[in-house]
Amino acid sequence: KKVFSTEHGPEGGDELNYILEDKNYGWPLQTHGTDYNSKVWPLVDKSIDSKFIKPVFSWGPKLGISNLIVYDSDYFFEWQKNIIISSLLGKKLIRIKYDYQSNKVLYLENIYLGQRIRDIIEINDGRIALLSDVLDANSFESVPKLIIIEKN
């Protein structure tokens, strides 16, 4: 079974990683992001770059990656085995069609939701549950909100 991970990196350094045993993904020494204050890129000495596993995919600024699932159900049959990633700042889901043989991204779809998505899970019946941050106008604090994605 393949294990994937999201990494909330520096400015423009959010990543999708395919995890391999006993490998080093470089944080904080290797990133595609820039320093928040100086916008220096790359942040690291590229001579050490070959020591680390490269991400499957890396995003530019304004995503704020949070979590992921590998969708397993046939409820949304078109999404079976797709990687679904949630984001905070981007306020969207990202659906990735992944080629498990060649280990490459084949297709990426942005699904804008207009809400900060902190977490994502696949429910037993195949629907998808999202935990969103909603700003409470009275207290100015984030209040969690549950969103269920289901067929129309």
Side-chain angles (χ1 to χ4, degrees):
K1 184 172 182 165
K2 296 196 182 263
V3 176
F4 292 92
S5 168
T6 56
E7 183 175 301
H8 191 105
E11 181 87 12
D14 292 351
E15 297 177 357
L16 170 63
N17 289 300
Y18 168 46
I19 304 301
L20 299 168
E21 187 174 355
D22 295 327
K23 298 297 180 185
N24 188 334
Y25 294 84
W27 180 255
L29 300 175
Q30 194 278 330
T31 179
H32 292 284
T34 63
D35 181 69
Y36 284 103
N37 297 317
S38 68
K39 305 294 185 208
V40 172
W41 190 87
L43 286 177
V44 297
D45 177 359
K46 286 297 179 182
S47 65
I48 63 169
D49 198 42
S50 63
K51 297 178 183 178
F52 305 119
I53 301 296
K54 304 257 186 285
V56 170
F57 198 86
S58 183
W59 283 266
K62 309 294 184 223
L63 179 63
I65 204 165
S66 54
N67 211 342
L68 71 80
I69 60 171
V70 176
Y71 189 74
D72 199 38
S73 175
D74 60 0
Y75 182 83
F76 298 111
F77 67 90
E78 309 88 0
W79 290 11
Q80 212 169 29
K81 302 297 179 211
N82 286 192
I83 301 166
I84 314 293
I85 298 173
S86 54
S87 72
L88 294 159
L89 187 59
K91 299 181 179 181
K92 62 185 170 184
L93 296 179
I94 300 133
R95 180 175 71 94
I96 294 178
K97 187 170 184 176
Y98 187 78
D99 183 331
Y100 290 86
Q101 302 302 318
S102 65
N103 292 318
K104 293 182 180 176
V105 172
L106 299 176
Y107 175 78
L108 187 142
E109 177 185 15
N110 291 299
I111 304 167
Y112 185 73
L113 299 173
Q115 296 184 54
R116 293 169 46 91
I117 308 301
R118 184 154 302 279
D119 203 0
I120 180 172
I121 63 168
E122 181 181 334
I123 304 172
N124 291 341
D125 64 6
R127 295 179 300 159
I128 296 173
L130 307 173
L131 186 63
S132 173
D133 286 352
V134 177
L135 186 64
D136 183 314
N138 296 321
S139 66
F140 298 105
E141 293 180 2
S142 254
V143 177
K145 177 182 173 188
L146 182 65
I147 302 167
I148 304 294
I149 298 178
E150 54 194 348
K151 293 179 184 176
N152 291 336

